[in-house]
Amino acid sequence: TNPAFATDPYGTYKKLQGETPPVFWSPDSIDGTGRWLVSSFELCREVLQENTRFTTSIDYAPGNAWPRRLIPLELAPPDHQKYRSLLPPLFAPAAIDRLEAGILETTNRLIDEVLADGECDFVDAFARMLPGSIFIQLLGLPEEMKEQCFAWEETFFHTGTNEERVQVGNDIHTM
């Protein structure tokens, strides 16, 4: 939750690599309990690939910032593969072909909005909106839910307190 990381993640990571040992403890974490961090590519790869020695487990106790696992990201094999195997059909060429008209329509609408305004913050107006809108189409959610989904994403991954993240998780679970 370092503000410098939010504005310059690559610079912050490079600074971290120069100032810390390759493996270190940080008391800074979303839920306030701290976490172990690795600061080299090689160690990141090892941690991510060695599920017998490292875990993706977080304390999922009631009231925690993360009331449930983010599937499939936070699952270790073999559970990860079971959920991961559901995704390729969604991204197969035929599935993407079915989305193409909606993707083009969304892209053109976003460009038209920028042109009408005469200027834009590219990230806010396009880079965030396009993949988010496509994701909503991919899930088959109605267009009217777009703003709610973006608000959930912002709260859950970027700005929310622990309580707000729990509420987002509960809101999504009950929709």
Side-chain angles (χ1 to χ4, degrees):
T1 59
N2 181 333
F5 186 79
T7 58
D8 183 15
Y10 298 107
T12 304
Y13 189 66
K14 188 158 191 72
K15 183 178 178 191
L16 179 79
Q17 288 177 308
E19 295 176 356
T20 64
V23 178
F24 65 98
W25 174 258
S26 171
D28 184 27
S29 66
I30 290 172
D31 63 4
T33 60
R35 61 185 155 200
W36 285 98
L37 298 171
V38 295
S39 63
S40 74
F41 172 80
E42 294 78 16
L43 286 173
C44 286
R45 176 179 287 227
E46 183 178 347
V47 166
L48 291 170
Q49 292 181 341
E50 287 289 331
N51 67 289
T52 57
R53 292 190 300 147
F54 302 101
T55 181
T56 57
S57 180
I58 297 175
D59 178 13
Y60 292 96
N64 192 338
W66 304 101
R68 58 192 57 83
R69 292 187 188 279
L70 299 176
I71 296 172
L73 297 176
E74 294 181 341
L75 295 177
D79 293 328
H80 173 84
Q81 284 87 345
K82 287 190 287 189
Y83 286 97
R84 181 69 177 85
S85 69
L86 299 173
L87 298 175
L90 297 173
F91 299 99
I96 299 303
D97 288 346
R98 287 190 296 274
L99 294 172
E100 184 176 15
I103 293 170
L104 289 173
E105 179 183 325
T106 300
T107 303
N108 288 329
R109 180 178 45 78
L110 293 172
I111 291 170
D112 289 344
E113 289 171 7
V114 168
L115 291 173
D117 291 343
E119 64 181 13
C120 75
D121 176 317
F122 182 78
V123 172
D124 288 340
F126 196 83
R128 180 174 178 237
M129 296 302 290
L130 182 62
S133 297
I134 293 167
F135 183 72
I136 289 166
Q137 291 173 23
L138 186 66
L139 293 177
L141 296 173
E143 177 75 15
E144 304 84 61
M145 287 198 65
K146 179 176 69 177
E147 292 306 318
Q148 179 62 63
C149 290
F150 283 130
W152 283 335
E153 180 262 340
E154 180 67 23
T155 300
F156 196 83
F157 291 108
H158 305 292
T159 62
T161 64
N162 287 348
E163 294 77 21
E164 290 168 334
R165 288 184 179 100
V166 169
Q167 185 58 54
V168 166
N170 291 331
D171 290 349
I172 292 169
H173 182 72
T174 58
M175 65 178 258

